[in-house]
């Protein structure tokens, strides 16, 4: 499958998908206003040929900001996916949509694809409602849950720096950085997430919910330690509780996404080394 439409094409994930689908129609915010769905639908229906699938990388990813900018979070994380599900259902094509481990409360610690979501933040609720809207509207869906994405920064001005980029910046300014040690997540390298997406489409895997992350998981503190270990930099990572950094939104204490439906992806440490050494085979 080569004829796909990528929305949010200049973000970190969108950029990696464009590498795998060089013939794709790739739109970002300057190409299409996703909040004006009538216009977006008209633009999509005008494509010739019509896409064989739509890959939606658009999201409101500011977890704390979602507590105040609820309408913006709902527009991108709930309404847009639901509308795209209706359109793709009418066109009889798959919708690929990316969700988050933050749809879970973190009590169980590890979650497979069948686990019942129980979000504890408005961001998590907006993502969970987006999932539910897709499931109820288009049976031809791939909902891909992922977590803590890092990789080459996207071209979009709205593309956020990853935790890796932030730690490298802080480490260059000071010999000590503080990192939270009581929140544990899965970790995901954007090129591996894009490759997992391509695998689903190319192999026409059964529609449904998938967990695509690199194997394993760690705290923010463990993640930072590994960054500086690989880089060989003498930076001390000071473990601190999450209460050290007051934030508006609650986070799950431990939300590891268990992948039970696809071949295992390489450990996050290997993926991190590949990124930091610019060696895709590392």
């Amino acid at each position: 499958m080569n004829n796909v439409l990528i929305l949010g094409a200049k973000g970190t994930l969108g950029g990696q998908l464009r590498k795998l689908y060089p013939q794709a129609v790739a739109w970002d915010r300057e190409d299409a206003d996703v909040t004006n769905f009538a216009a977006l639908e008209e633009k999509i229906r005008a494509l010739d040929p019509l896409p064989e699938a739509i890959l939606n990388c658009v999201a409101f990813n500011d977890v704390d900001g979602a507590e105040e900018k609820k309408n913006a979070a709902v527009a991108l994380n709930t309404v847009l996916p639901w509308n795209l599900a209706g359109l793709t259902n009418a066109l009889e094509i798959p919708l690929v949509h990316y969700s988050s481990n933050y749809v879970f409360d973190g009590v169980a610690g590890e979650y497979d694809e069948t686990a019942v979501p129980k979000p504890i933040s408005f961001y998590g609720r907006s993502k969970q409602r987006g999932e539910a809207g897709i499931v109820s509207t288009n049976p031809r869906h791939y909902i891909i849950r992922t977590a803590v994405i890092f990789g080459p920064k996207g071209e979009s001005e709205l593309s956020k720096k990853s935790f890796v980029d932030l730690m490298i910046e802080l480490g260059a300014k000071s010999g000590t950085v503080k990192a939270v040690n009581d929140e544990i997540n899965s970790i995901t390298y954007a090129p591996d997430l894009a490759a997992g997406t391509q695998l689903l489409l190319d192999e026409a895997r059964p529609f449904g919910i998938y967990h695509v992350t690199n194997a394993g998981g760690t705290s923010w503190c463990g993640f930072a330690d590994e960054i500086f270990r690989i880089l060989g930099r003498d930076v001390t990572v000071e473990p601190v509780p999450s209460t050290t950094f007051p934030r508006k939104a609650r986070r799950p204490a431990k939300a590891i996404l268990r992948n039970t439906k696809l071949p295992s992806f390489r450990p996050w440490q290997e993926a991190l080394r590949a990124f930091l050494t610019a060696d895709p085979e590392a």
Side-chain angles (χ1 to χ4, degrees):
M1 182 182 293
N2 295 310
N3 176 30
V4 301
L5 168 61
I6 302 171
L7 298 176
K10 290 187 177 179
T12 297
L13 175 58
Q16 297 307 310
L17 288 169
R18 282 161 47 209
K19 290 182 180 181
L20 297 180
Y21 294 101
Q23 298 177 337
V25 176
W27 292 343
D28 210 86
R29 58 197 304 262
E30 64 270 23
D31 305 302
D33 179 4
V34 297
T35 64
N36 181 350
F37 195 78
L40 177 64
E41 178 174 356
E42 182 178 359
K43 190 177 177 73
I44 292 173
R45 287 184 177 274
L47 291 172
D48 186 17
L50 287 169
E52 297 174 85
I54 293 179
L55 284 55
N56 178 38
C57 305
V58 176
F60 187 98
N61 285 328
D62 184 349
V63 177
D64 290 312
E67 297 296 321
E68 295 181 342
K69 300 177 181 177
K70 290 182 169 63
N71 289 340
V74 168
L76 297 185
N77 294 346
T78 305
V79 177
L80 175 62
W82 204 322
N83 284 335
L84 285 172
L87 174 59
T88 51
N89 187 54
L91 297 177
E92 298 184 348
I93 61 173
L95 171 64
V96 177
H97 176 73
Y98 300 89
S99 191
S100 167
N101 64 331
Y102 280 16
V103 301
F104 298 112
D105 61 9
V107 174
E110 297 189 1
Y111 301 87
D112 67 17
E113 298 84 354
T114 65
V116 178
K118 189 178 180 182
I120 56 176
S121 66
F122 192 85
Y123 166 79
R125 287 194 293 275
S126 70
K127 295 296 286 186
Q128 186 273 326
R129 290 166 182 164
E131 289 186 11
I134 292 170
V135 169
S136 66
T137 306
N138 184 3
R140 304 174 192 84
H141 63 261
Y142 294 111
I143 294 172
I144 299 176
R145 293 192 186 121
T146 189
V148 189
I149 299 173
F150 73 94
K153 190 174 181 296
E155 297 173 26
S156 170
E157 61 184 23
L158 298 180
S159 184
K160 297 193 305 181
K161 292 180 181 178
S162 72
F163 181 78
V164 176
D165 298 323
L166 291 172
M167 286 298 101
I168 291 173
E169 284 186 6
L170 289 173
K173 295 176 183 177
S174 170
T176 302
V177 299
K178 295 180 179 180
V180 170
N181 69 344
D182 58 359
E183 291 176 7
I184 299 173
N185 294 287
S186 298
I187 310 292
T188 313
Y189 187 33
D192 292 350
L193 178 55
T197 302
Q198 186 180 49
L199 182 151
L200 287 173
L201 289 171
D202 286 1
E203 295 188 0
R205 292 278 180 142
F207 296 119
I209 295 173
Y210 289 82
H211 289 176
V212 178
T213 70
N214 290 99
T218 189
S219 67
W220 298 107
C221 182
F223 197 6
D225 265 329
E226 189 68 8
I227 292 167
F228 296 120
R229 189 190 71 79
I230 292 172
L231 291 174
R233 297 187 184 175
D234 187 17
V235 176
T236 299
V237 179
E238 180 184 343
V240 297
S242 53
T243 52
T244 303
F245 305 106
R247 294 167 293 179
K248 293 183 174 67
R250 292 176 62 197
R251 269 79 166 171
K254 182 180 180 181
I256 298 291
L257 295 174
R258 291 181 55 231
N259 162 25
T260 68
K261 298 167 72 173
L262 293 172
S264 181
F265 295 87
R266 58 182 162 175
W268 67 267
Q269 298 93 330
E270 290 183 17
L272 179 61
R273 176 173 291 278
F275 175 56
L276 293 175
T277 62
D279 180 4
E281 300 302 323

